[in-house]
Amino acid sequence: MFFGLELSHLQIYWWVIISLLGGFLVFMFFIQGGQTLIDELSKNELEKTMFINSLGRKWELGFTTLVMFGGAAFAAFPLFYSTSFGGAYWAWLSILFCFIIQAISYEYRKKDNNLYGAKTYELFLKINGFLGVFLIGIALSSFFSGSYFRLSEYNFVFWDHPLRGLELLFNPLNYLLGFALVFLSRILGAAYFMNNIKDDEIKMRCVRKIYINTFLFLPFFIAFIIWIFLKDGFFIDEQKVVSIKSYIYLLNFLNHPLILIFFILGILLVLAGIFQAIKKCTKAIFTLGIGVVLVVFNLFLSLGLGNSPFYPSISHLQSSLTLENASSSYYTLSVMSYVSLLIPFVLAYIIYSWNAMDKIKITKEEMSNNEHIY
């Protein structure tokens, strides 16, 4: 089946998978967003315990999605993995640190004889929620703004900036996506609490937070879209030569109408989910989730399937990475494609586990009468 496909088709197939994982990863940021809202939404220790236990049931799914995204990138496009993770290692180590302290926090916050106290681990959750999401937004923004790397003829990576990825923070336009993701994650987190916690007063507080963070999210997201559509981008011609061209990212969408249609549909679903949440609908998180996945999925697709490199180089344009020059071999992609057929079963298990965990909603009575985990 897969061994009969052309190499270019396999490359596209795996970019579709990575794009889909990227969409799920951003949706799972509701965990990080929820962590930033714990102190703002809780009025006492009991309510704080409710929020942390609500997120504690799902935090591993977010971490797993991040690992799957990195693993798929490594397996299908190893040159991208080695260039980004190997060259910009200070940026990725900072992101990894933010997620490590998240895992530690859920594990040790309520352990007996806690040396540092619960407050320390709650601070770690906030760092993961704010800084972790922001830095991932900065890293993803580099897919459009470019990075400082060069490749030798043997594909050895030379990073042309001593900060190894953290120099992306010097470009204020990269902040647009970083802040947009932070406020989006808080919207998702509040919508998730409305679905997972059964308490009318908490639901009203969540609605107020969704109002505030929507007004903060929209300007940054709209500014990001305007920026990438109007900026000079990285263009690949028929001879595979990379150059700078105006409006290339807008043209990528216009040249692929289906991608544009589903991108707009995703935006409309995000807005519909926000409207549902404001109307106190407990199912808003699912409308929001589908919308977020569609937006990110099609944004990634526009890069890989358009006439632009998905990981451009500012230092040396011809070192920019495309699906063609960054992928694994034909044999590797073919074998992995058979393994990818298990993905629907994994998704089905995640959906089953989600429903099983949320069958009984979290209440104050449950947290008062039973020994909580986190």
Side-chain angles (χ1 to χ4, degrees):
M1 179 170 130
F2 289 107
F3 277 105
L5 297 177
E6 295 182 6
L7 177 59
S8 60
H9 294 159
L10 290 171
Q11 292 165 343
I12 291 172
Y13 174 78
W14 271 98
W15 185 253
V16 169
I17 291 178
I18 289 174
S19 300
L20 188 60
L21 288 173
F24 280 116
L25 175 61
V26 174
F27 165 60
M28 294 305 297
F29 284 166
F30 75 81
I31 300 167
Q32 279 68 36
Q35 289 168 184
T36 67
L37 292 170
I38 291 172
D39 286 338
E40 299 175 29
L41 291 174
S42 59
K43 299 297 183 182
N44 50 55
E45 193 64 30
L46 175 60
E47 290 184 350
K48 181 182 292 186
T49 299
M50 292 170 66
F51 289 123
I52 293 179
N53 276 264
S54 173
L55 296 171
R57 296 177 176 182
K58 305 290 194 312
W59 77 269
E60 292 173 319
L61 296 179
F63 197 94
T64 301
T65 306
L66 178 62
V67 173
M68 287 177 63
F69 178 81
F74 169 71
F77 300 98
L79 188 55
F80 163 61
Y81 187 90
S82 62
T83 301
S84 178
F85 290 75
Y89 54 76
W90 283 126
W92 286 108
L93 282 175
S94 299
I95 292 171
L96 183 59
F97 171 78
C98 290
F99 280 83
I100 288 174
I101 62 175
Q102 178 200 35
I104 293 172
S105 299
Y106 283 112
E107 181 68 24
Y108 290 102
R109 176 179 173 269
K110 283 298 182 179
K111 289 288 187 183
D112 293 334
N113 302 317
N114 186 339
L115 179 62
Y116 300 105
K119 293 290 185 183
T120 300
Y121 295 107
E122 290 164 14
L123 175 62
F124 288 170
L125 292 178
K126 281 189 177 181
I127 293 173
N128 172 252
F130 281 116
L131 186 59
V133 172
F134 178 74
L135 289 177
I136 288 181
I138 295 291
L140 294 179
S141 189
S142 70
F143 285 27
F144 298 92
S145 62
S147 298
Y148 294 88
F149 67 89
R150 291 177 295 113
L151 298 177
S152 71
E153 60 178 316
Y154 300 107
N155 287 332
F156 287 111
V157 181
F158 298 93
W159 205 265
D160 290 330
H161 200 287
L163 291 182
R164 295 284 183 166
L166 293 179
E167 73 278 357
L168 295 171
L169 295 170
F170 294 152
N171 183 352
L173 293 172
N174 287 334
Y175 286 55
L176 296 175
L177 185 57
F179 283 122
L181 287 186
V182 168
F183 295 125
L184 175 63
S185 71
R186 286 164 63 84
I187 295 170
L188 291 169
Y192 169 72
F193 286 143
M194 291 175 64
N195 175 262
N196 190 244
I197 296 176
K198 189 176 180 180
D199 188 288
D200 291 337
E201 187 179 348
I202 287 177
K203 184 186 296 185
M204 288 302 301
R205 294 179 213 156
C206 290
V207 170
R208 287 194 291 268
K209 289 301 175 183
I210 289 173
Y211 262 119
I212 295 170
N213 285 280
T214 297
F215 283 113
L216 294 171
F217 160 69
L218 287 176
F220 284 106
F221 178 71
I222 293 171
F224 170 73
I225 297 300
I226 293 174
W227 169 55
I228 64 172
F229 279 178
L230 298 184
K231 77 183 295 291
D232 293 339
F234 303 84
F235 170 70
I236 308 173
D237 61 22
E238 294 180 356
Q239 286 72 42
K240 309 301 179 184
V241 176
V242 181
S243 60
I244 301 297
K245 182 176 180 177
S246 300
Y247 312 119
I248 182 60
Y249 298 117
L250 174 60
L251 292 173
N252 283 345
F253 276 98
L254 295 178
N255 292 332
H256 295 83
L258 279 179
I259 293 179
L260 177 61
I261 290 171
F262 282 104
F263 179 72
I264 295 173
L265 176 61
I267 293 175
L268 293 177
L269 285 173
V270 170
L271 295 176
I274 292 173
F275 180 77
Q276 282 182 316
I278 290 173
K279 292 297 183 180
K280 304 175 189 176
C281 175
T282 59
K283 302 296 184 181
I285 181 62
F286 302 112
T287 306
L288 276 165
I290 295 171
V292 167
V293 171
L294 279 177
V295 169
V296 178
F297 175 61
N298 287 282
L299 195 61
F300 269 85
L301 282 186
S302 72
L303 281 173
L305 305 186
N307 296 319
S308 57
F310 69 85
Y311 196 59
S313 169
I314 298 174
S315 301
H316 186 246
L317 291 179
Q318 308 317 314
S319 293
S320 300
L321 302 185
T322 65
L323 300 191
E324 183 178 347
N325 67 16
S327 77
S328 293
S329 67
Y330 180 85
Y331 179 80
T332 301
L333 291 179
S334 298
V335 172
M336 290 195 310
S337 296
Y338 285 101
V339 178
S340 71
L341 296 177
L342 296 175
I343 290 178
F345 298 98
V346 175
L347 292 177
Y349 174 74
I350 290 174
I351 293 172
Y352 170 79
S353 300
W354 182 297
N355 290 330
M357 287 186 285
D358 285 359
K359 199 169 185 179
I360 300 177
K361 303 299 181 182
I362 289 180
T363 63
K364 291 180 179 177
E365 290 74 17
E366 179 193 3
M367 291 294 104
S368 298
N369 299 330
N370 296 297
E371 182 180 355
H372 46 266
I373 300 174
Y374 301 102

